Amino acid sequence: LPDPVGAGARKKELCATYGFEGAFPLDATLDLQGLSPREAAMRISRANEELIRGCQLVIAQMTPFRGPSADAGTAYEMGFARGLGLPVFAYSNVVEDFAARTESWARPTRRRGDGSLEDAMGMQIEPFGVEDNLMLVGAVAASGGEIECRETTNDERFSDVAGFEKCLVAARAHFDSAPPRT
Amino acid sequence: LPDPVGAGARKKELCATYGFEGAFPLDATLDLQGLSPREAAMRISRANEELIRGCQLVIAQMTPFRGPSADAGTAYEMGFARGLGLPVFAYSNVVEDFAARTESWARPTRRRGDGSLEDAMGMQIEPFGVEDNLMLVGAVAASGGEIECRETTNDERFSDVAGFEKCLVAARAHFDSAPPRT
């Protein structure tokens, strides 16, 4: 984001309002001096994983990013959280169905003999009527929630936090009914 | 894929050659009768997670899929595996650097005052010189491996298994030097 530190601070303030302490990648003060770009990337990756290991839940921004799906790093972190046994909440600032988005991105598409749709590479576009790849949607469903979707303007697509706040409400209800083990 | 069952069978045969039993999503015989598309998607998601819980390693195909990154479901499964403590091996049938791929996908790009590159939405394209989002690359690095990248023809981009076989070689070496706990 143009102002990632500010965006993180804004979300952490919202977290505090709901009784949570937000953890944000840029909280870590990593010494990346003298590292190659790849080494720096690997240190950031490890620090992000450690940050998630210290959390009791994850709120993922699933707004489609450079393609029909959520950012691959976000998808990874959702899976990581689920593997650790943490509940995953999520929001998206795009409402259009995943299959419809994929159809727009993967043109030219064509119909197979069985009526299913495939992209130019011959890969099927699966019409599940869900918000993104089923593994991501399943993580949120298995956590007892649903993806908070709303449409924003293009300018606010990655910065609007109304969906994030809805996730905080859901997370608060989740922990108030079943407090986390400490 | 046009023939997903065949593709899975081919990979499972390769696994057996290296002393592994391959687990593939379509192994599960799920009863999806009478379910809505969304309910079916959720059942498939849960079955895939259970399949991974029964595994001792994951080999991910990270070939870019409908955008500059690996499939979001694959990214999720890599994170899930790491959260469970499993080693993650990976291959990609595209060699071009992630930042360069992203630059192609996210045109028009522009330079910021500080020299960094941003896409049309004002989001930075980070030049880490790695193969995909740093969380995915970090998962493979933390498992002691590297992403096996080679270039294939467009027709074979999602079906070529030479990189998969290289991952099996790496996985065999990994377990022969440190047998998994049973």
Side-chain angles (χ1 to χ4, degrees), chain A residues 76-87:
Chain A
Y76 178 91
E77 289 164 358
M78 293 173 74
F80 188 72
R82 271 282 290 168
L84 294 174
L86 303 180

Side-chain angles (χ1 to χ4, degrees), chain A residues 22-109:
Chain A
F24 193 69
L26 295 177
D27 291 347
T29 49
L30 297 177
D31 182 7
L32 303 177
Q33 286 278 336
L35 299 183
S36 71
R38 174 179 292 268
E39 289 167 340
M42 296 303 90
R43 187 160 301 177
I44 294 166
S45 152
R46 195 61 73 92
N48 286 350
E49 287 193 353
E50 290 311 309
L51 209 56
I52 295 172
R53 285 185 202 278
C55 290
Q56 291 178 317
L57 70 106
V58 161
I59 297 179
Q61 163 150 197
M62 286 179 59
T63 304
F65 183 67
R66 297 174 180 163
S69 277
D71 172 55
T74 302
Y76 178 91
E77 289 164 358
M78 293 173 74
F80 188 72
R82 271 282 290 168
L84 294 174
L86 303 180
V88 177
F89 301 86
Y91 69 102
S92 171
N93 292 337
V94 167
V95 166
E96 190 186 29
D97 169 73
F98 180 47
R101 292 200 310 268
T102 304
E103 198 177 331
S104 302
W105 271 88
R107 289 185 198 285
T109 57

Side-chain angles (χ1 to χ4, degrees), chain B residues 67-106:
Chain B
S69 276
D71 171 56
T74 301
Y76 178 91
E77 290 164 357
M78 293 173 73
F80 188 72
R82 271 283 290 169
L84 295 174
L86 303 179
V88 177
F89 302 86
Y91 68 102
S92 171
N93 292 336
V94 166
V95 166
E96 190 186 28
D97 168 72
F98 180 47
R101 293 199 308 269
T102 304
E103 198 178 332
S104 302
W105 270 88

Side-chain angles (χ1 to χ4, degrees), chain A:
Chain A
L1 283 166
D3 176 21
V5 174
R10 196 169 158 209
K11 283 186 159 177
K12 291 176 75 166
E13 278 169 30
L14 271 176
C15 289
T17 307
Y18 289 88
F20 294 110
E21 183 188 349
F24 193 69
L26 295 177
D27 291 347
T29 49
L30 297 177
D31 182 7
L32 303 177
Q33 286 278 336
L35 299 183
S36 71
R38 174 179 292 268
E39 289 167 340
M42 296 303 90
R43 187 160 301 177
I44 294 166
S45 152
R46 195 61 73 92
N48 286 350
E49 287 193 353
E50 290 311 309
L51 209 56
I52 295 172
R53 285 185 202 278
C55 290
Q56 291 178 317
L57 70 106
V58 161
I59 297 179
Q61 163 150 197
M62 286 179 59
T63 304
F65 183 67
R66 297 174 180 163
S69 277
D71 172 55
T74 302
Y76 178 91
E77 289 164 358
M78 293 173 74
F80 188 72
R82 271 282 290 168
L84 294 174
L86 303 180
V88 177
F89 301 86
Y91 69 102
S92 171
N93 292 337
V94 167
V95 166
E96 190 186 29
D97 169 73
F98 180 47
R101 292 200 310 268
T102 304
E103 198 177 331
S104 302
W105 271 88
R107 289 185 198 285
T109 57
R110 69 190 153 211
R111 289 272 159 209
R112 293 177 177 173
D114 64 1
S116 65
L117 200 65
E118 66 176 27
D119 65 19
M121 300 288 284
M123 311 286 277
Q124 192 187 350
I125 298 173
E126 297 171 311
F128 283 120
V130 290
E131 296 85 353
D132 202 320
N133 181 288
L134 59 82
M135 298 305 296
L136 281 58
V137 180
V140 179
S143 305
E146 54 187 47
I147 300 166
E148 305 288 353
C149 292
R150 59 193 296 277
E151 199 70 30
T152 63
T153 63
N154 271 355
D155 281 355
E156 303 241 279
R157 186 166 294 167
F158 295 103
S159 55
D160 186 286
V161 293
F164 182 75
E165 187 160 8
K166 282 194 170 181
C167 290
L168 285 168
V169 171
R172 190 69 266 161
H174 176 91
F175 283 114
D176 286 346
S177 66
R181 287 161 295 178
T182 49

